[in-house]
């Protein structure tokens, strides 16, 4: 099993990359690659859900309780379902930040 601290660092880095890695010029607002990739109809949202699912899988592997895993899956599902709505879904994805919530 990986060192727990190494897993946490890897998950923190992924959550940051997916949700907060890009500063919108002229603002203090940040988005991540998940919001950018989500602009690709259908495929982008699927890729985002798959990347987000990795964080849930790592939490399960580290022994997170079922109640926490259920909430994490809910956050990812909401992001994935709402993300299917053109434009609104992309804006929602940039604000919802399921990966940061799950981390």
């Amino acid at each position: 099993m990986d060192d727990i601290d190494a897993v946490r660092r890897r998950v923190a880095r992924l959550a940051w990359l997916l949700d907060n890695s890009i500063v919108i010029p002229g603002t203090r607002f940040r988005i991540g690659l998940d919001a950018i990739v989500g602009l690709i109809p259908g495929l982008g949202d699927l890729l985002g859900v798959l990347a987000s699912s990795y964080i849930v899988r790592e939490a399960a592997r580290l022994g997170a309780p079922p109640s926490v895993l259920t909430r994490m899956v809910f956050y990812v599902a909401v992001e994935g379902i709402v993300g299917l709505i053109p434009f609104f879904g992309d804006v929602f994805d940039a604000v919802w930040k399921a990966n940061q919530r799950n981390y």
Side-chain angles (χ1 to χ4, degrees):
M1 182 172 178
D2 287 335
D3 176 50
I4 292 174
D5 289 333
V7 173
R8 286 183 179 160
R9 283 191 302 274
R10 191 168 50 243
V11 168
R13 177 78 173 152
L14 179 61
W16 173 82
L17 186 66
L18 292 173
D19 287 344
N20 289 315
S21 58
I22 303 165
V23 177
I24 303 293
T27 72
R28 296 175 62 192
F29 190 73
R30 302 175 78 83
I31 63 171
L33 292 180
D34 196 13
I36 302 297
V37 172
L39 293 171
I40 302 168
L43 179 63
D45 297 310
L46 175 63
L47 292 173
V49 167
L50 289 174
S52 297
S53 297
Y54 171 79
I55 294 172
V56 176
R57 186 184 68 138
E58 288 297 300
R61 206 169 61 81
L62 291 176
S67 60
V68 171
L69 294 173
T70 300
R71 187 173 61 237
M72 292 174 77
V73 168
F74 172 76
Y75 292 153
V76 173
V78 167
E79 185 175 73
I81 292 168
V82 176
L84 293 173
I85 302 169
F87 184 71
F88 175 76
D90 301 315
V91 172
F92 178 83
D93 187 36
V95 175
W96 180 248
K97 300 185 185 292
N99 302 298
Q100 288 296 306
R101 290 171 186 263
N102 283 342
Y103 172 70

